[in-house]
Amino acid sequence: MSTASTNQTGAPDQDRRKAPAGERVADWADGRLGIYTLAKANMRKIFPDHWSFMLGEVCLYSFLIIILTGVYLTLFFHPSMNEVVYHGSYVPMQGMRMSEAYKSTLDISFDVRGGLLIRQIHHWAALVFIAGMIVHMMRVFFTGAFRKPREVNWLFGFLLMVLGIFTGFTGYSLPDDLLSGTGVRIADGLILSVPIVGTYISMFLFGGEFPGTDFVSMFYSIHILLLPGIMLGLVVAHLILVIYHKHTQFPGPGRTNKNVVGMPLMPVYMAKAGGFFFLVFGLIAALSAIATINPVWVLGPYRSDQVSTNAQPDWYLGMSEGLIRAMPGWEINLWGHTLVLGVFIPLALFGVVLGAIAMYPFIESWVTGDKREHHLLDRPRNAPTRTAFGVAWITAYMVGLVGGGNDLWATHFHLSLNAITWFVRIGFFVGPVLAFIVTKRICLGLQRRDREKVLHGRESGIIKRLPHGEFVEIHEPLSQEQLHTLTSHNQPQPLELEPVVDENGVQRKAGTMQKLRVKLSKGFYGEGSQIPKPTAEEFQEITSGHGHH
């Protein structure tokens, strides 16, 4: 018994000693962390292969680049507004009084080895991150990827975008140069326009009257600790939900709401993802080396008695400032207090727009009554109302962006500043409506073309003369894959107003919200909002020889 016991316990130990070191480490880790079981369940997870899915990867990789370069910059940056005299290597600034924050930014740019390139990479990666987030959310919106069960993940992505905007603003403000200081001055004006609490928030952020003595250190803590920590948690939660819900996929043969068609995570997808990371990093590095952004040494340190003449908001904040520039300078006095409506109304309107974006999945689900799970994506043309809403929002944003740079439009194109202001005032309300109508008509036109292609095939450009003298164009029939792609989408019916009957059988009138829901549902799915798909009978009749092919 003792010999057998020795063999049973001793042989594995001898085998482990003979095993390679990497295998021994893997066995040790698996015995304590269960890594093998976890990897076996997830390393073969399937991911669809479509170029638009890489937009999310652009966001993830640029976020990693921001963190890596940000850690390097924190080693040399001094978040202090204490005044010092500059004696660094940048000759035009020597002898000037400036804050320690601005001086350390100059030192990073001119004295730290590779510091300027790292600063540029950090700033460009932030712009790419926010741009990637917006385009990624547009892809999710137009394809309907936000529907059940992914509404929470839409909220996570929305919060990442908003926090990214605030993180970009706080980071942009840290160098304490004249350009960023002007932006902070505008932000202080926005805060002060908020009734009741605006003054308290301003005093808290700036340590007194603007510009105060604390905002750089305050923004620094927010920029490197609070916001990145929250964003990192949201990124992890976002990826966990992507894995848990499985990836969405575009419709096609063999693809249903109950399966995923694509490549396994290991080794195919990981190899592609790794290569794509270096492509993203290389592109950002090339942009940083070629195109200088935010050259803080050009304008000098911030002084409250000066304003930068070329102060422009970052493009992702252009709409908010554009609304402020176009808004009339309305003010009212209530109980001895001045309410600056010319600033507060655009600020509130911008918040309403953001709130509508965040809540849209729940709004559409309520309007349409669609409570099903969706893992297949929509073609934008097959959801014309949703697509029209998206284009209308983009139009409103672009009009606001024109307002945010109204002085540049005026000087570069020799236009009247007042004319641009009135264009923004009118275009912000008229432009989205026109865009909605035009986009919906385009989507319906594309649906009609798809219907014709299914029934009659693709135009070949070949003209044939029939025996009785008629000229017709030869149409090539579509493949089964193409037919499936053009006809696999669902076409829900609009909700109908059902009579409400109480326990005594007495019919009551429908409520206001129910009437509104039915009316909006007809706007989504009613007559004039979708072109009926060709039926199997119509297809058989056309292809049986009655049509010209």
Side-chain angles (χ1 to χ4, degrees):
M1 292 294 293
S2 60
T3 304
S5 176
T6 302
N7 291 338
Q8 289 175 1
T9 58
D13 290 337
Q14 294 176 0
D15 293 340
R16 291 192 187 96
R17 295 191 191 98
K18 295 178 182 179
E23 185 177 334
R24 294 201 302 271
V25 171
D27 288 339
W28 182 90
D30 181 58
R32 290 155 180 82
L33 303 175
I35 293 177
Y36 175 77
T37 304
L38 183 65
K40 184 179 180 180
N42 293 285
M43 288 296 101
R44 301 297 292 175
K45 184 170 286 292
I46 300 299
F47 282 85
D49 192 8
H50 192 272
W51 67 267
S52 65
F53 298 143
M54 292 190 290
L55 295 171
E57 294 182 42
V58 171
C59 304
L60 177 62
Y61 300 152
S62 56
F63 182 68
L64 294 176
I65 295 169
I66 291 170
I67 293 178
L68 293 175
T69 53
V71 170
Y72 181 81
L73 293 175
T74 57
L75 302 176
F76 306 99
F77 182 73
H78 301 288
S80 172
M81 295 181 69
N82 294 331
E83 282 198 349
V84 296
V85 178
Y86 181 72
H87 295 292
S89 58
Y90 186 62
V91 176
M93 290 285 179
Q94 286 191 1
M96 290 186 60
R97 298 185 66 83
M98 59 187 64
S99 66
E100 285 190 41
Y102 185 76
K103 177 183 178 299
S104 64
T105 305
L106 292 180
D107 292 339
I108 292 173
S109 301
F110 297 108
D111 298 317
V112 175
R113 187 179 298 274
L116 180 58
L117 179 61
I118 297 298
R119 269 196 64 229
Q120 297 293 297
I121 292 176
H122 188 72
H123 203 142
W124 270 112
L127 294 180
V128 171
F129 172 73
I130 298 175
M133 283 294 301
I134 292 177
V135 178
H136 177 58
M137 289 189 68
M138 287 169 57
R139 196 277 301 174
V140 172
F141 178 86
F142 285 118
T143 60
F146 55 80
R147 294 171 294 177
K148 184 182 177 180
R150 296 176 177 83
E151 301 98 330
V152 175
N153 227 9
W154 169 268
L155 290 177
F156 285 168
F158 171 80
L159 290 175
L160 278 170
M161 182 191 71
V162 174
L163 292 176
I165 290 174
F166 279 105
T167 307
F169 173 74
T170 54
Y172 163 85
S173 306
L174 290 181
D176 199 26
D177 61 292
L178 186 57
L179 183 61
S180 65
T182 304
V184 177
R185 179 200 294 268
I186 296 171
D188 181 56
L190 292 173
I191 295 171
L192 290 175
S193 71
V194 179
I196 302 175
V197 299
T199 305
Y200 297 99
I201 297 174
S202 176
M203 290 291 183
F204 171 75
L205 288 177
F206 297 100
E209 292 287 344
F210 179 84
T213 58
D214 297 333
F215 89 83
V216 169
S217 57
M218 179 76 72
F219 280 21
Y220 182 73
S221 300
I222 295 173
H223 180 72
I224 72 166
L225 292 175
L226 179 62
L227 296 180
I230 298 174
M231 292 175 67
L232 188 59
L234 288 173
V235 167
V236 173
H238 188 76
L239 294 177
I240 289 174
L241 285 181
V242 168
I243 294 174
Y244 175 71
H245 291 144
K246 299 182 176 60
H247 212 295
T248 55
Q249 56 188 346
F250 283 95
R255 300 176 182 178
T256 68
N257 279 311
K258 297 181 180 180
N259 69 351
V260 181
V261 178
M263 297 292 182
L265 178 63
M266 285 291 289
V268 179
Y269 195 81
M270 286 298 293
K272 289 184 176 182
F276 190 54
F277 169 78
F278 289 107
L279 286 175
V280 173
F281 183 82
L283 178 60
I284 293 176
L287 283 172
S288 306
I290 294 172
T292 302
I293 188 172
N294 196 22
V296 298
W297 55 88
V298 173
L299 296 174
Y302 177 69
R303 288 180 50 180
S304 57
D305 61 337
Q306 295 181 357
V307 176
S308 171
T309 55
N310 63 342
Q312 298 294 324
D314 278 334
W315 63 268
Y316 48 84
L317 289 174
M319 176 184 174
S320 58
E321 182 159 337
L323 296 178
I324 295 172
R325 293 189 184 190
M327 182 72 185
W330 294 345
E331 293 183 357
I332 60 174
N333 292 309
L334 294 174
W335 302 291
H337 297 278
T338 301
L339 186 59
V340 187
L341 297 179
V343 178
F344 179 67
I345 290 178
L347 179 63
L349 184 60
F350 187 64
V352 169
V353 172
L354 291 179
I357 295 173
M359 299 306 297
Y360 184 84
F362 306 97
I363 296 173
E364 181 176 308
S365 176
W366 176 76
V367 169
T368 61
D370 188 358
K371 306 299 181 183
R372 300 167 300 164
E373 286 196 3
H374 294 273
H375 302 286
L376 285 178
L377 299 174
D378 286 334
R379 299 173 76 204
R381 68 184 63 182
N382 293 330
T385 304
R386 181 202 302 147
T387 303
F389 273 128
V391 175
W393 180 88
I394 295 173
T395 303
Y397 176 83
M398 296 305 296
V399 171
L401 190 62
V402 170
N406 58 357
D407 51 342
L408 292 182
W409 285 92
T411 55
H412 284 65
F413 295 96
H414 308 290
L415 300 172
S416 167
L417 191 65
N418 289 332
I420 298 173
T421 300
W422 278 105
F423 167 79
V424 175
R425 290 175 178 176
I426 298 173
F428 184 78
F429 297 99
V430 176
V433 175
L434 295 178
F436 181 92
I437 296 172
V438 171
T439 302
K440 192 169 182 179
R441 290 181 64 87
I442 291 175
C443 289
L444 293 176
L446 292 173
Q447 286 189 28
R448 291 189 185 93
R449 191 185 71 169
D450 289 346
R451 176 182 171 87
E452 291 298 317
K453 286 169 64 177
V454 169
L455 293 176
H456 302 287
R458 187 186 303 276
E459 296 178 357
S460 65
I462 301 174
I463 305 299
K464 180 180 179 180
R465 184 178 180 181
L466 300 181
H468 59 276
E470 179 185 0
F471 289 91
V472 297
E473 182 179 13
I474 303 299
H475 285 211
E476 298 176 353
L478 300 182
S479 65
Q480 289 298 316
E481 178 179 353
Q482 292 171 320
L483 290 173
H484 182 276
T485 301
L486 295 180
T487 59
S488 61
H489 59 282
N490 293 322
Q491 289 191 323
Q493 297 301 313
L495 300 177
E496 295 293 339
L497 195 61
E498 299 179 358
V500 179
V501 181
D502 61 15
E503 62 275 7
N504 297 320
V506 178
Q507 183 173 324
R508 296 180 296 181
K509 293 183 178 180
T512 304
M513 294 302 294
Q514 186 178 357
K515 292 180 180 178
L516 176 63
R517 183 185 183 190
V518 170
K519 193 172 185 63
L520 292 175
S521 176
K522 291 181 179 179
F524 266 82
Y525 299 132
E527 185 178 357
S529 294
Q530 55 185 357
I531 304 301
K533 294 189 298 183
T535 63
E537 292 76 13
E538 290 176 319
F539 181 76
Q540 289 295 333
E541 181 181 358
I542 291 292
T543 56
S544 62
H546 298 289
H548 300 301
H549 290 278

